Amino acid sequence: VENVRLLDRFSSRRAVVGTLYLTATHVIFVENGSETRKETWVLHSQISSIEKQATTATGCPLLIRCKNFQVIHLVIPQERDCHDVYLSLIRLARPVKYEELYCFSFNPKLDKEEREQGWKLVDLSEEYNRMGVPNNYWQISDVNRDYGVCDSYPTEVYVPKSATAHIIVGSSKFRSRRRFPALSYYCKGNNASICRSSQPLSGFSARCLEDEQMLQAIRKANPGSDFIYVVDTRPKLNAMANRAAGKGYENEDNYSNIKFQFIGIENIHVMRNSLQKMLEVCELKSPSMSDFLWGLENSGWLKHIKAIMDAGIFIAKAVAEEGVSVLVHCSDGWDRTAQVCSVASLLLDPYYRTMKGFMVLIEKDWVSFGHKFNHRYGNLDGDPKEISPVIDQFLECVWQLMEQFPCAFEFNERFLIHIQHHIYSCQFGNFLCNSQKERRELKIKERTYSLWAHLWKNRADYLNPLYRSDHSQTQGTLHPQIAPCNFLYKFWSGMYNRFEKGLHPRQSVTDYLMAVKEETQQLEEELEVLQERLANLQKSQSGNNKVKSKQQDRSKQFGLYTSNNSLANTPQEYSNDLKSFPSRSPSQGDEDSALILTQDNLKSSDPDLSANSDQESGVEDLSCRSPSGGGCLPSEDSGKDSDEAVFLAG
Amino acid sequence: MEFAELIKTPRADNVVLHRPFHQAVEGTLCLTGHHLIFSSRRQDNAEELWLLHSNIDSIEKRFVGSLGTIVIKCKDLRIIQLDIPGMEECLNIASSIEVLSTLDSVTLMYPFFYRPMFEVLEDGWSSFLLEQEFELLSSVTNEWRLSYVNKEFSVCPSYPPVVIVPKSIDDEALRKVALFRHGGRFPVLSYYHQKNGMAMMRSSQPLTGTNGRRCKEDEKLINSTLRSGRRGFVIDTRPLTVAQQARAKGGGFEQEVHYPQWRRIHKYIERFNILQESFIKLVEACNDQSHNMDRWLSKLEASNWLTHIKELLTAACLAAQCIDREGASVLVHGSEGTDSTLQVTSLAQIILDPRCRTIRGFEALVVREWLQAGHPFQQRCAQSAYSNSRQKWEAPVFLLFLECVWQIHRQFPCSFEFTEQFLIMLFEHAYASQFGTFLGNNENERAKLKLPQKTMSLWSWVNRPEELSRFQNPLYEANSLVIWPSVAPQSLQLWEGVFLRWNRPSKFLEEAEKERISIITYNKELQARVNTLRRQLAEMEVTVEMLQE
């Protein structure tokens, strides 16, 4: 469709005219502007809603909201075209079969072996070994080998040694969806563990001997403690209501030596509405400060984030400080339980704060334990009531922690944002389906690529420059502050206003420091080479002085040597190198190589991502990110135009 | 008056000091004429706390048996608690502090007694003279001149003796204009935009009154800054209704009939007690230990503090935009021209002028646009957020300005030569200081108090290399461009460095800052070493070549 206008949220004067293309996988908008021909690519799977608004004199407006929080406002001249686009998009954005998803057609030009290597990057049995199981207290159980006991669990499950198959099966029958208690995290230092399950089918009075034995077995696996915590992450009212349906929570009287604890996190429906409300606030045209703060409070979003964090902190404290094992559940044990277990693990174990460890953590607590990615993130057309930003909230908890502990994480904010993007993009197979069983049936590993390998390959872009493996913040358990007056839970504009570059800091400290570190590394290498050459020269010089008779031979040799060397790197070449360094001079005026360098980096780093989503912002957005705030050129333009509207509006 | 008379109990032992995120420490408390000194002699970490009495905003006392407790709330927002055994001692100490922290005579303040322990390399009192500023200006334009019309502070008591005015306006005209402007604050040059020759001026409101008085000299003065055929903008920091009401009291605004070349924009910026109330509410919210998220957000919202930040930044951006983008001259004023006017003109300069983003340039800005321009520091900063006095003239006007600078700093972290700490330091010294810089309400008062002769200037201390190094931003690289901050609510944050400063554990943030510095220092070191080696190598290669020949 031609002559489509892409509107800018802040100012109608910045609308651009271009052509809209629909392909099998993407919506593409190409600007007419002759030089840049800026392109905006949006994957169909990112589309969360399409809204056709009333036709106006200028055409028919179409509003596309994306799951990565991009909002695209198009105006199509002809009503009929608009309607066609609308209908096509509705169909394209809601695939009914897995095979329609992008990952089955996405080909990053890797051979079979590379693909297999990619899938092997994250290996969970290796991870359990790292934690220190199997050992005297924990063993791997094969009861679920063919998904016979629980179809949403993985085949390999770690359980206490004293829990026999009989006990496991018995317990599973007493738990929602047969999700029996299984090991999530084991603390080598003091034998305390975090286990997870679903709610018991206790109703008002039902009991199950095997389930009681199962909890007893978990306690016994931690000889240092004479009780375990059972943490129900639901609000008490919700849990009580479940009793009427024959479900519910553990009665302390029936289980020996448990301490039962509610930590109220709301359910997926509340969270979905909360996000919706917060996004409405983000979309306000020119909100006043109180509109914004009031809307933020009213959405309840930060309150929910804090609730998840509080639960994680409680569990981490029980494990690390009291040495007590914890069993965590909610209703089905695949949403709130996943959030809370992974936050607790992250607080407890520095390994999960590394890039590799974080991938492992998501693979362990989310992918393998049957978090329903397909339902929650609406990959296939399904019940809209199943959709909820569960893992988004976890990622935000991580970001809030990064704000509080700037040196503790190996990765940076961009890493989290790109993971969020790919959870919805369906470009990689990792997050397809609702369980391991379904993924195996679909032969995901043979037919698609792994996101982790892709991120790992570009890890240089995701590094936190402040991270040092020997830093005090890197070690041991993190103890976050919880009161708002001690630590500010902030609105994450990097995520929820990700595509509104104008709102973000114009110069990125992270990128700046990364560029400095890169330069430092090159300097270190150069220093070594220089020192070596200097040493060689000195040697040969002293040789010259001592043995004058052999001078000619020697200098010949030496001559050869230097010439070889000089081929490799002459001073001139260094200075060329140096020219390409100043990746960091934030002197925004000059066309600094900085810009180019960062741009290259990003391009190489995530071609797919930038093709899919970042294209729109193109150079402008790169320079916004570039430390050089190269910044300011775009910010002068964009800043001016967009902000002008804002200033005058007031 | 002898301070000793006011101190009945100069010393108490076994006093316990409580602070958030610190273990309680036992030690000795001493009172002197200007300080409260607490020292603990524990072997593992002996420490001393020196607190200026003038930093104390409020004091509360309570008793449990004979153990007295006093809670001291400071102007820098810190709260400490002292447990003092002995009812009499405690009462004596509390009453001494109360008196010593509220002395009403300026000449009894600490700056008059303070003797520096450092060598003065440069006298800060003469570091930033308007004459130097004018020298720079005259190298790019000759449209302006220095006027000494206010030499005796007789034309405008709140102006400095020297001001910069359009060349075409003589002193006689200035005297007439002064009579037409509130408090005699006639329009003077605040900033000259080299890029396009546009000027920003500031003044107070014109005294048009109800009958629409006019002053030809005033019109001529501000018109002389316009290019032929171009319009200028008057940014009035009051809402139109307030400006209209002001006429009844003899004030007013520039009316279109008399100023046809000027377009008036009203940008409302809060002042006085509304600002002070907002400040008090915000600090209350920040000290609320409740874990409830909703409560925190609603208190933050109810304080309206961030709204003031947003409005102020917006007005400053607008002024900067008129100058840089519209190529128009600007006149900024409110009523008196001593508060919101200065906030707007100084922030606009941060946005427009790269020099103001350097340490020295920022100091010059504070001197020029705040101290010399007659912001009544002594009145505004007499009390902080914990005070119960609620006087009309107390208001965190300067703090609001510093926070706006911080907001811009946060958005352009590599474009400022100074760090957040520098801004926090200025906030502290504006409220309580050993230096005389922020005493008095204007240059007139400072001259009468003979501050330059009798007290030390803050700048004499700050600009010493060892102090400066603490405030230098490792990420700084000069940025010659105009920087346009975003004023959307999503882009503005609470200034934790000031408001959560004493309530948050600072360890991790400090570590991060150290790491940042060490990354950059190491890089610079390597660069230097590589350069040395390169030079050596080049020299040796030359020698070798010579030997070969």
Side-chain angles (χ1 to χ4, degrees):
Chain A
V1 185
E2 288 186 353
N3 286 323
V4 173
R5 287 192 305 142
L6 177 68
L7 300 186
D8 183 272
R9 181 182 136 187
F10 289 110
S11 153
S12 51
R13 278 183 297 139
R14 294 189 66 215
V16 286
V17 180
T19 308
L20 188 73
Y21 300 92
L22 296 189
T23 72
T25 52
H26 289 88
V27 183
I28 307 163
F29 178 84
V30 183
E31 265 177 49
N32 285 348
S34 51
E35 306 136 41
T36 47
R37 293 190 64 82
K38 256 171 49 182
E39 295 174 9
T40 308
W41 290 55
V42 176
L43 258 177
H44 294 325
S45 52
Q46 286 289 2
I47 296 175
S48 120
S49 76
I50 312 148
E51 193 182 313
K52 213 175 78 175
Q53 295 170 332
T55 312
T56 64
T58 50
C60 189
L62 194 66
L63 193 65
I64 305 176
R65 289 198 177 82
C66 299
K67 294 166 181 174
N68 58 6
F69 311 115
Q70 187 170 18
V71 179
I72 297 174
H73 205 144
L74 298 167
V75 177
I76 299 174
Q78 295 297 322
E79 225 257 275
R80 228 190 42 196
D81 289 341
C82 181
H83 194 64
D84 287 347
V85 170
Y86 175 73
L87 289 181
S88 319
L89 281 182
I90 284 207
R91 172 66 190 88
L92 288 166
R94 288 171 199 169
V96 288
K97 285 207 315 269
Y98 282 117
E99 281 72 10
E100 289 176 49
L101 294 174
Y102 185 40
C103 57
F104 290 99
S105 57
F106 171 67
N107 186 350
K109 300 192 181 68
L110 296 174
D111 58 33
K112 186 161 168 278
E113 201 176 317
E114 282 172 301
R115 172 162 67 191
E116 281 168 7
Q117 274 320 109
W119 281 110
K120 280 182 190 145
L121 184 70
V122 170
D123 178 351
L124 282 187
S125 55
E126 208 175 86
E127 165 57 11
Y128 284 102
N129 287 338
R130 187 195 67 85
M131 281 187 219
V133 292
N135 62 8
N136 283 339
Y137 305 111
W138 293 89
Q139 64 182 8
I140 190 164
S141 160
D142 60 356
V143 288
N144 203 36
R145 201 175 30 218
D146 305 313
Y147 305 105
V149 176
C150 173
D151 60 2
S152 61
Y153 262 19
T155 46
E156 296 185 355
V157 187
Y158 290 80
V159 292
K161 235 180 185 160
S162 58
T164 61
H166 172 74
I167 292 179
I168 298 171
V169 173
S171 164
S172 81
K173 287 182 181 152
F174 189 64
R175 295 269 166 187
S176 266
R177 311 208 185 244
R178 312 194 69 185
R179 293 170 67 92
F180 55 87
L183 182 72
S184 163
Y185 180 71
Y186 172 75
C187 180
K188 224 187 302 190
N190 60 7
N191 294 320
S193 63
I194 304 173
C195 294
R196 56 184 291 170
S197 70
S198 59
Q199 63 186 337
L201 304 176
S202 52
F204 289 100
S205 59
R207 297 182 61 162
C208 167
L209 181 63
E210 289 88 352
D211 194 60
E212 288 160 23
Q213 286 171 331
M214 186 74 191
L215 266 60
Q216 187 74 353
I218 294 173
R219 187 190 63 73
K220 278 195 212 139
N222 178 10
S225 162
D226 50 14
F227 71 97
I228 65 169
Y229 282 111
V230 175
V231 173
D232 189 329
T233 56
R234 297 169 294 184
K236 191 172 181 183
L237 266 179
N238 301 20
M240 283 165 67
N242 261 302
R243 289 202 297 195
K247 300 164 189 173
Y249 52 92
E250 290 82 355
N251 183 341
E252 275 190 22
D253 300 336
N254 297 344
Y255 294 83
S256 53
N257 309 316
I258 67 164
K259 279 192 186 166
F260 187 86
Q261 179 85 33
F262 281 114
I263 300 183
I265 302 174
E266 298 292 346
N267 64 26
I268 58 168
H269 311 295
V270 175
M271 299 306 192
R272 180 179 56 244
N273 292 334
S274 169
L275 178 67
Q276 188 54 41
K277 279 190 193 160
M278 186 175 71
L279 292 179
E280 276 162 23
V281 176
C282 296
E283 268 188 55
L284 290 176
K285 267 244 161 60
S286 49
S288 73
M289 204 70 215
S290 11
D291 289 343
F292 178 74
L293 286 175
W294 190 85
L296 192 61
E297 180 200 340
N298 191 43
S299 78
W301 182 257
L302 286 174
K303 179 176 73 182
H304 299 314
I305 295 292
K306 185 175 180 296
I308 296 166
M309 197 86 100
D310 288 348
I313 292 169
F314 175 86
I315 294 165
K317 201 169 157 234
V319 169
E321 286 170 26
E322 300 177 49
V324 177
S325 295
V326 184
L327 171 67
V328 187
H329 68 72
C330 44
S331 296
D332 290 318
W334 51 36
D335 294 316
R336 286 169 275 200
T337 302
Q339 290 175 328
V340 167
C341 287
S342 48
V343 168
S345 301
L346 198 71
L347 293 173
L348 284 167
D349 194 333
Y351 174 66
Y352 297 125
R353 292 172 231 143
T354 66
M355 211 177 280
K356 181 82 180 295
F358 193 70
M359 299 174 181
V360 168
L361 183 66
I362 290 185
E363 199 67 33
K364 170 173 79 82
D365 280 333
W366 296 81
V367 178
S368 86
F369 273 106
H371 175 64
K372 301 201 292 172
F373 282 93
N374 176 37
H375 285 166
R376 293 294 172 262
Y377 313 116
N379 297 339
L380 292 187
D381 193 22
D383 182 359
K385 286 218 164 73
E386 283 280 324
I387 294 177
S388 185
V390 182
I391 199 164
D392 303 58
Q393 289 184 315
F394 166 63
L395 294 175
E396 176 163 342
C397 285
V398 180
W399 179 79
Q400 301 281 3
L401 284 171
M402 280 160 70
E403 288 284 294
Q404 194 168 163
F405 302 97
C407 305
F409 292 83
E410 191 192 14
F411 45 86
N412 58 32
E413 176 183 9
R414 196 178 300 152
F415 186 61
L416 300 177
I417 292 176
H418 284 191
I419 290 177
Q420 193 272 353
H421 176 92
H422 284 298
I423 281 166
Y424 291 92
S425 77
C426 299
Q427 185 175 340
F428 298 92
N430 302 61
F431 308 121
L432 243 46
C433 306
N434 292 321
S435 67
Q436 194 184 67
K437 182 167 175 250
E438 285 181 34
R439 275 187 293 274
R440 291 226 171 137
E441 283 162 4
L442 257 183
K443 299 202 184 346
I444 290 295
K445 290 195 179 175
E446 285 107 90
R447 299 166 70 192
T448 71
Y449 295 86
S450 167
L451 169 66
W452 305 134
H454 173 76
L455 294 177
W456 187 247
K457 197 175 80 198
N458 302 305
R459 59 188 175 279
D461 289 339
Y462 302 121
L463 285 174
N464 170 11
L466 299 178
Y467 176 81
R468 256 187 9 218
S469 52
D470 57 349
H471 207 281
S472 72
Q473 277 178 58
T474 319
Q475 321 295 326
T477 309
L478 296 181
H479 300 282
Q481 295 298 321
I482 45 175
C485 68
N486 300 133
F487 169 67
L488 219 53
Y489 282 85
K490 298 187 194 82
F491 169 73
W492 190 7
S493 67
M495 177 65 95
Y496 306 107
N497 284 114
R498 182 178 156 201
F499 292 89
E500 262 119 340
K501 300 294 177 195
L503 298 180
H504 303 163
R506 307 303 167 86
Q507 296 174 322
S508 152
V509 175
T510 305
D511 288 343
Y512 179 80
L513 289 175
M514 281 316 291
V516 171
K517 278 189 117 171
E518 197 178 310
E519 189 194 58
T520 302
Q521 208 181 346
Q522 290 175 27
L523 283 171
E524 274 173 344
E525 282 159 21
E526 192 185 343
L527 195 67
E528 214 167 284
V529 175
L530 284 173
Q531 274 167 342
E532 198 178 306
R533 288 180 56 193
L534 207 57
N536 278 327
L537 265 180
Q538 273 163 345
K539 224 193 281 169
S540 72
Q541 212 173 25
S542 61
N544 279 335
N545 293 339
K546 274 179 196 162
V547 200
K548 287 197 173 166
S549 57
K550 286 188 179 176
Q551 188 183 333
Q552 238 179 329
D553 285 2
R554 284 231 168 188
S555 63
K556 223 181 215 169
Q557 273 178 6
F558 177 71
L560 257 174
Y561 180 71
T562 28
S563 72
N564 275 341
N565 217 359
S566 66
L567 262 180
N569 34 9
T570 61
Q572 286 96 319
E573 254 182 60
Y574 292 140
S575 56
N576 283 343
D577 276 359
L578 266 187
K579 265 185 197 157
S580 72
F581 286 156
S583 37
R584 54 205 195 73
S585 80
S587 48
Q588 307 164 317
D590 49 26
E591 270 273 19
D592 45 19
S593 26
L595 220 75
I596 297 155
L597 190 116
T598 343
Q599 203 170 336
D600 285 346
N601 265 350
L602 281 173
K603 271 200 180 140
S604 66
S605 85
D606 218 326
D608 325 307
L609 192 63
S610 61
N612 289 338
S613 55
D614 279 355
Q615 205 82 9
E616 184 234 352
S617 21
V619 180
E620 239 185 73
D621 118 57
L622 287 167
S623 37
C624 278
R625 276 195 201 164
S626 96
S628 67
C632 250
L633 284 179
S635 79
E636 277 217 34
D637 304 335
S638 66
K640 188 226 166 183
D641 278 352
S642 61
D643 294 349
E644 181 175 24
V646 180
F647 303 147
L648 290 171
Chain B
M1 183 181 65
E2 286 295 321
F3 290 120
E5 291 167 17
L6 300 173
I7 306 171
K8 279 168 246 159
T9 303
R11 179 193 159 114
D13 287 316
N14 304 322
V15 174
V16 180
L17 167 72
H18 302 269
R19 288 163 297 176
F21 297 101
H22 290 271
Q23 279 190 332
V25 226
E26 193 181 297
T28 304
L29 182 72
C30 294
L31 287 190
T32 72
H34 294 103
H35 283 97
L36 176 156
I37 306 160
F38 176 88
S39 55
S40 80
R41 259 178 270 287
R42 275 216 324 232
Q43 274 167 354
D44 44 338
N45 64 342
E47 63 164 303
E48 273 188 5
L49 174 82
W50 287 63
L51 201 62
L52 264 178
H53 292 317
S54 57
N55 188 8
I56 295 173
D57 205 24
S58 85
I59 170 167
E60 290 159 21
K61 49 185 184 287
R62 55 171 186 262
F63 292 94
V64 178
S66 70
L67 180 74
T69 291
I70 55 179
V71 176
I72 295 177
K73 299 184 173 177
C74 303
K75 291 177 187 165
D76 60 14
L77 308 184
R78 155 172 43 179
I79 298 180
I80 60 171
Q81 183 191 323
L82 294 166
D83 294 341
I84 302 168
M87 178 152 346
E88 197 191 331
E89 284 84 353
C90 185
L91 279 174
N92 284 344
I93 288 170
S95 68
S96 302
I97 294 177
E98 252 163 78
V99 178
L100 290 167
S101 63
T102 52
L103 296 174
D104 46 10
S105 166
V106 182
T107 49
L108 292 177
M109 304 284 268
Y110 186 51
F112 287 93
F113 298 82
Y114 171 69
R115 292 292 161 262
M117 304 293 282
F118 57 85
E119 187 198 349
V120 178
L121 301 173
E122 173 195 344
D123 182 7
W125 286 111
S126 50
S127 289
F128 306 100
L129 301 175
L130 201 64
E131 282 86 348
Q132 297 163 352
E133 204 63 38
F134 182 71
E135 220 166 278
L136 282 175
L137 180 69
S138 33
S139 66
V140 290
T141 168
N142 58 6
E143 292 165 10
W144 301 87
R145 69 179 183 98
L146 281 178
S147 165
Y148 294 89
V149 69
N150 197 38
K151 203 167 53 199
E152 311 292 333
F153 302 106
S154 54
V155 176
C156 170
S158 63
Y159 265 0
V162 201
V163 289
I164 302 177
V165 292
K167 198 166 207 170
S168 56
I169 306 298
D170 60 23
D171 282 356
E172 206 37 55
L174 290 178
R175 284 199 186 89
K176 285 186 183 151
V177 178
L179 294 172
F180 181 65
R181 292 274 173 181
H182 191 122
R185 294 175 69 92
F186 54 87
V188 296
L189 180 72
S190 162
Y191 170 68
Y192 179 82
H193 198 45
Q194 265 192 42
K195 200 164 108 187
N196 58 12
M198 290 302 131
M200 178 162 59
M201 291 178 298
R202 54 177 158 75
S203 68
S204 58
Q205 62 178 344
L207 302 174
T208 57
T210 34
N211 48 9
R213 229 179 106 209
R214 66 187 285 194
C215 169
K216 287 266 171 56
E217 287 80 4
D218 188 78
E219 292 157 27
K220 190 176 161 217
L221 194 166
I222 69 168
N223 285 342
S224 69
T225 65
L226 295 176
R227 296 278 149 80
S228 60
R230 301 296 294 269
R231 273 153 64 104
F233 289 89
V234 174
I235 295 180
D236 192 324
T237 60
R238 305 162 293 178
L240 180 60
T241 49
V242 174
Q244 280 165 342
Q245 285 158 10
R247 287 188 301 192
K249 292 182 206 149
F253 51 87
E254 292 80 0
Q255 272 154 325
E256 284 82 356
V257 259
H258 305 317
Y259 299 86
Q261 286 167 284
W262 293 82
R263 202 187 131 197
R264 218 176 52 244
I265 304 174
H266 291 273
K267 273 282 164 192
Y268 186 27
I269 296 169
E270 282 294 356
R271 301 186 308 153
F272 299 135
N273 52 332
I274 294 185
L275 221 49
Q276 183 73 4
E277 286 298 323
S278 166
F279 182 37
I280 291 169
K281 277 191 196 161
L282 176 68
V283 171
E284 242 171 54
C286 293
N287 284 321
D288 183 347
Q289 299 294 322
S290 141
H291 290 186
N292 185 317
M293 198 68 203
D294 284 350
R295 186 158 145 188
W296 158 253
L297 280 173
S298 70
K299 280 190 156 186
L300 179 64
E301 195 256 320
S303 80
N304 265 330
W305 183 260
L306 287 170
T307 301
H308 303 317
I309 296 285
K310 181 166 149 59
E311 295 308 320
L312 178 51
L313 268 176
T314 308
C317 287
L318 180 74
Q321 198 185 348
C322 291
I323 293 169
D324 187 67
R325 294 289 158 154
E326 304 295 324
S329 282
V330 170
L331 170 67
V332 185
H333 69 72
S335 305
E336 291 89 354
T338 53
D339 295 284
S340 48
T341 304
L342 306 180
Q343 289 175 322
V344 172
T345 56
S346 53
L347 279 171
Q349 291 179 59
I350 296 280
I351 294 166
L352 293 169
D353 186 359
R355 213 162 48 101
C356 294
R357 298 172 223 142
T358 64
I359 292 184
R360 198 129 187 131
F362 190 77
E363 290 170 356
L365 181 76
V366 170
V367 171
R368 203 172 62 236
E369 290 296 294
W370 290 86
L371 291 161
Q372 293 175 350
H375 173 67
F377 275 99
Q378 195 166 308
Q379 288 183 351
R380 298 288 179 266
C381 301
Q383 300 274 272
S384 176
Y386 299 122
S387 138
N388 303 316
S389 81
R390 314 261 162 127
Q391 297 281 6
K392 184 182 180 297
W393 55 74
E394 287 153 8
V397 178
F398 186 59
L399 173 62
L400 203 68
F401 157 70
L402 292 176
E403 175 162 349
C404 286
V405 176
W406 175 80
Q407 300 280 1
I408 305 176
H409 193 297
R410 211 184 66 80
Q411 296 186 30
F412 294 89
C414 306
S415 300
F416 288 81
E417 196 193 359
F418 48 85
T419 57
E420 175 185 3
Q421 294 310 316
F422 185 67
L423 299 172
I424 296 175
M425 179 275 293
L426 288 175
F427 158 63
E428 285 177 345
H429 282 278
Y431 279 85
S433 175
Q434 66 268 46
F435 303 108
T437 300
F438 290 105
L439 291 182
N441 290 310
N442 49 51
E443 292 295 273
N444 188 4
E445 287 186 24
R446 281 180 204 112
K448 280 185 190 146
L449 289 166
K450 295 196 169 58
L451 289 179
Q453 293 82 38
K454 291 187 168 171
T455 72
M456 182 60 56
S457 161
L458 171 66
W459 316 121
S460 309
W461 171 71
V462 171
N463 286 334
R464 291 155 42 81
E466 49 273 59
E467 300 303 330
L468 270 185
S469 64
R470 292 194 295 140
F471 301 120
Q472 264 153 358
N473 176 6
L475 306 174
Y476 175 65
E477 299 219 3
N479 169 1
S480 61
L481 293 175
V482 175
I483 54 177
W484 299 105
S486 158
V487 297
Q490 289 97 318
S491 311
L492 303 177
Q493 282 183 3
L494 179 69
W495 192 6
E496 292 174 68
V498 164
F499 295 105
L500 297 189
R501 181 178 176 194
W502 310 101
N503 282 338
R504 61 174 183 180
S506 53
K507 182 167 163 251
F508 304 116
L509 301 174
E510 278 163 15
E511 278 176 358
E513 185 56 27
K514 258 189 224 150
E515 190 63 38
R516 260 173 234 135
I517 294 173
S518 86
I519 288 173
I520 295 201
T521 332
Y522 180 56
N523 176 275
K524 290 199 173 135
E525 246 175 60
L526 274 182
Q527 250 165 5
R529 278 169 63 194
V530 164
N531 285 339
T532 326
L533 278 184
R534 262 194 220 140
R535 223 175 301 124
Q536 276 184 17
L537 203 63
E539 278 166 18
M540 286 189 76
E541 267 164 359
V542 171
T543 344
V544 168
E545 266 168 41
M546 279 165 56
L547 278 172
Q548 279 172 341
E549 281 160 14

